[in-house]
Amino acid sequence: MKRCWLVVFNFVLITGCIKQLYAQHAMDTVMVYTFKNSTLLSSPTPVQRLSGQQLERLGSLSVADATRFLSGIQLKDYGGIGGLKTINVRSMGANHTTVYLDGLPISNAQNGQVDLGKFALDNIAKISLYSGDRPLLLQPAKAYASASSIYLESQLPAMENGQKQSLKAVLKTGSFGLFNPSLQWQKQLSTRTTASLSTAYTQANGRYRFRIYDTNYDTIATRENTDIRSLRTELFLNSELPDGNWNTHAYFYQSKRGLPDAVVANKFKPIMLGLGQRQNDRNIFLQTSIQKKFNRYHMAVKAKYANDYTYYTDPTIVKLEGPLENHYHQQETYLSLANSYDLTKGWGFALSGDWQWNKLNADLDNFAYPTRNTVLVASATRYKSDRLTLQSSLLVTWVQDGTKYNQAASRKTKMSPAASLSWQPFFQKDFFLRAFYKRIFRMPTFNDLYYTAIGNTLLDPEYAHQFDAGFTFAKTFNQQSGYINLQTDGYYNLVTNKIVATPAANQFRWIMYNLDRVSIKGIDVVLKGGLSLSRDLKLDVGINYSYEDARIKTDATSGMKYNAGEQVPYIPWHSGSFIMQVDYKNFLLNYSFVYTGERYSQAANSSENYLQPWYTHDLAVGKGWLIGHRKMRVMGEVNNIFNQAYEVVKSFPMPGRSYRLTLIFNY
């Protein structure tokens, strides 16, 4: 409670100081400063973005690695190039964050988690993180159905010097046996239509040295069973229509990888004998969307079909028929129709409806073979004037499950309201106050409800109340020489009916149940600045900081012990990052620092479950050449410069110092 009052006091103090500053200078100047991302500045909900050259220079192989530099995100990484990587935004859990690619959702009805390690940055032009609703009227109903969302936008073909086609070849190699070539071909099919075809292959043995240290061991070992081989192919078509746009995206991904076990009680030795867990994945989807404007009326139609296959084996678990082998097959069909109408220049309404069908097959004993039909209908209104933005929405969700065997969960009908505002209190257009409230829920996954000997069809959905208040401040200096951008938000989330799993009689039988509630209080700070020191020298800096107090709250009458009042596992109180980018003529330098503070691996905040803070330093240096009309770039990277030993997830050691060399050729 004291921390909350402190946040409010600091917020009022900062606002008062800025107001006083304006009072002193308002009569001296009439210049209105602009900011290149004005939509981010006036957004009623928090928005963070990584785009352009910044993504190329972060030293990241995947989208998951890049999200480390966004405030309020905890990346759960099990180590290695092929290790599972999921994100958690503002301590709400991975299932409360929806990932979108070109405006359509990437889903996983089986466990609700999207492995962002599968998505490379080669074809991504922009990554945007939204807390609360996206400040946009014309969007699918599903866009209102999550606590936060990550939007990935594909690169659009950009032809230069009158070219009709272009070719980009990239080769990455380095530590862990990494061999990662990729090729992207772009073609101007007509004056309005472009095509992009890309493919990438990744191979790595994933082996790295780490230290085992406890009361019984103090030795250096090599992490095994972390290899990966993957192939990704994408086709993207885009066409500019009169007052509209159409695009189609086809995606194919296939991988074979090892899943390293936790390093506990010398358990790494069997893995060295080739007895580790293995997983094969195949992901295919085809999606298309069309957006059209008819005077004041706007329409967007989206459709997607996804087909995913997973093979999992663990030779250390032997059944009567042989080693454990499981096959999972998911299918999804998604349709969306969104409509909006501008009543006036600044006031509009929207109505959208979505239908989603999911099916899961598996070769488990007594498997339920579940299907799920979900219908979402959302209405929204938005008013925007020179100094005020108001947006509100109401989402109605119907969920109906079906099973081939066993009982299905009951039908669910839920309503989810949301409201947000942004206000410019002063004359200058560089300071905005904002706030939002949202009530949202998330359905239990197929694993939660129907997994053999684990699922519980009586589980209730999770509910979340989100409260947020903050401000944005942005200013440019002399229009060209520099800029500064500051976002600060304080938030409070209350999650009820939290779905958790605990072991029962043994590790092969678990109990799924609803936890009473979790209370989350936090602060996010995002500071960015840039300065052109000369015609050839440019400096950009970014700082992110997050404070999170996520406590387990319980009902005293429940009769069960939930470790009330203790920090939620794997949520650090303090975390942050720092990025510095320097451009000098054709040379570039990128330095980044990531910090995660102390946290606990279990709900019991005891010394046995304590995890020490960790941090990493990364450095990249590059140079570009222009040979005729062809561009070439070479980049060298050193990650974890000081070779720090750390664990993101307990008993899953992360790599130490590593190196990477990247060659980029544009033809």
Side-chain angles (χ1 to χ4, degrees), residues 61-65 81-86 106-108 111 113-122 124 152 200 202 228 230-234 251-255 257 279-285 308-310 330:
L61 276 176
S62 67
V63 170
D65 296 330
I81 294 177
L84 178 67
K85 296 174 175 62
T86 61
I106 302 171
S107 304
N108 188 330
N111 55 35
Q113 300 183 3
V114 177
D115 183 3
L116 291 178
K118 295 180 179 179
F119 297 91
L121 292 175
D122 296 343
I124 301 298
L152 310 177
T202 301
I228 183 172
S230 68
L231 176 66
R232 173 182 53 84
T233 302
E234 297 181 68
Y251 179 92
F252 173 84
Y253 175 87
Q254 186 171 3
S255 70
R257 57 179 168 173
Q279 180 172 314
N280 299 346
D281 292 291
R282 188 207 63 215
N283 306 108
I284 302 172
F285 70 72
D308 299 335
Y309 166 77
T310 299
Q330 289 191 71

Side-chain angles (χ1 to χ4, degrees), residues 340-358:
S340 70
Y341 186 81
D342 299 328
L343 293 175
T344 64
K345 182 179 179 180
W347 186 23
F349 283 90
L351 180 65
S352 55
D354 296 2
W355 171 70
Q356 182 172 314
W357 172 81
N358 295 92

Side-chain angles (χ1 to χ4, degrees), residues 87-373:
I87 63 168
N88 178 11
V89 179
R90 291 188 171 185
S91 306
M92 299 281 287
N95 293 334
H96 279 284
T97 300
T98 303
V99 180
Y100 294 84
L101 179 61
D102 298 324
L104 282 97
I106 302 171
S107 304
N108 188 330
Q110 181 180 358
N111 55 35
Q113 300 183 3
V114 177
D115 183 3
L116 291 178
K118 295 180 179 179
F119 297 91
L121 292 175
D122 296 343
N123 293 335
I124 301 298
K126 188 183 301 180
I127 300 175
S128 302
L129 170 64
Y130 294 88
S131 296
D133 286 340
R134 189 184 185 193
L136 184 69
L137 269 186
L138 190 66
Q139 58 183 338
K142 192 173 178 65
Y144 300 95
S146 57
S148 58
S149 53
I150 290 181
Y151 281 80
L152 310 177
E153 296 183 29
S154 299
Q155 291 182 355
L156 293 177
M159 305 302 172
E160 299 179 356
N161 304 315
Q163 290 181 318
K164 295 297 184 180
Q165 62 181 350
S166 65
L167 186 67
K168 179 181 179 181
V170 180
L171 175 62
K172 296 180 181 180
T173 185
S175 302
F176 321 123
L178 174 65
F179 177 67
N180 177 212
S182 64
L183 195 65
Q184 183 184 62
W185 175 70
Q186 297 179 338
K187 174 72 173 178
Q188 187 82 38
L189 300 179
S190 68
T191 56
R192 294 180 178 270
T193 305
T194 57
S196 176
L197 177 64
S198 64
T199 185
Y201 174 76
T202 301
Q203 176 178 311
N205 57 45
R207 290 193 294 268
Y208 55 89
R209 295 168 68 84
F210 66 97
R211 181 184 180 187
I212 303 175
Y213 176 79
D214 59 26
T215 56
N216 299 315
Y217 301 98
D218 186 1
T219 186
I220 301 296
T222 300
R223 195 71 161 134
E224 299 284 348
N225 200 46
T226 57
D227 60 293
I228 183 172
R229 290 189 179 186
S230 68
L231 176 66
R232 173 182 53 84
T233 302
E234 297 181 68
L235 173 64
F236 185 76
L237 300 174
N238 183 75
S239 182
E240 297 298 326
L241 307 175
D243 295 322
N245 174 271
W246 165 83
N247 66 69
T248 294
H249 195 154
Y251 179 92
F252 173 84
Y253 175 87
Q254 186 171 3
S255 70
K256 296 181 179 181
R257 57 179 168 173
L259 301 178
D261 267 336
V263 179
V264 181
N266 213 20
K267 195 176 180 180
F268 65 92
K269 284 190 175 181
I271 296 178
M272 296 175 67
L273 299 177
L275 298 179
Q277 305 170 73
R278 306 291 300 179
Q279 180 172 314
N280 299 346
D281 292 291
R282 188 207 63 215
N283 306 108
I284 302 172
F285 70 72
L286 176 65
Q287 64 182 43
T288 187
S289 65
I290 183 170
Q291 185 171 317
K292 184 73 174 173
K293 178 181 179 181
F294 304 92
N295 197 6
R296 294 187 177 187
Y297 171 68
H298 306 255
M299 178 188 70
V301 180
K302 301 178 185 291
K304 178 178 182 178
Y305 172 75
N307 190 307
D308 299 335
Y309 166 77
T310 299
Y311 166 75
Y312 170 81
T313 180
D314 187 349
T316 64
I317 301 177
V318 180
K319 306 169 69 175
L320 291 177
E321 59 272 21
L324 177 67
E325 291 185 317
N326 293 141
H327 302 261
Y328 303 93
H329 185 198
Q330 289 191 71
Q331 295 185 75
E332 175 181 301
T333 302
Y334 174 80
L335 299 173
S336 173
L337 173 63
N339 311 267
S340 70
Y341 186 81
D342 299 328
L343 293 175
T344 64
K345 182 179 179 180
W347 186 23
F349 283 90
L351 180 65
S352 55
D354 296 2
W355 171 70
Q356 182 172 314
W357 172 81
N358 295 92
K359 181 180 181 180
L360 175 64
N361 291 341
D363 57 354
L364 301 175
D365 294 335
N366 301 316
F367 192 66
Y369 297 94
T371 59
R372 174 171 293 176
N373 281 278

Side-chain angles (χ1 to χ4, degrees), residues 56 61 160 179 184 246 249 298 309 337 380 419 447 462 466 480 485 490 512 527 539 563 594 605 639 650 664:
E56 295 181 2
L61 276 176
E160 299 179 356
F179 177 67
Q184 183 184 62
W246 165 83
H249 195 154
H298 306 255
Y309 166 77
L337 173 63
N447 280 358
E462 284 186 12
Q466 296 176 270
Q480 298 294 330
N485 176 22
M512 306 293 301
L527 176 63
L539 172 68
N563 303 97
V594 176
N605 293 176
N639 298 312
K650 187 176 182 179
I664 304 174

Side-chain angles (χ1 to χ4, degrees), residues 653-667:
M654 298 292 292
R657 185 186 301 112
S658 62
Y659 306 90
R660 187 157 61 234
L661 178 67
T662 302
L663 305 176
I664 304 174
F665 183 76
N666 291 275
Y667 178 80

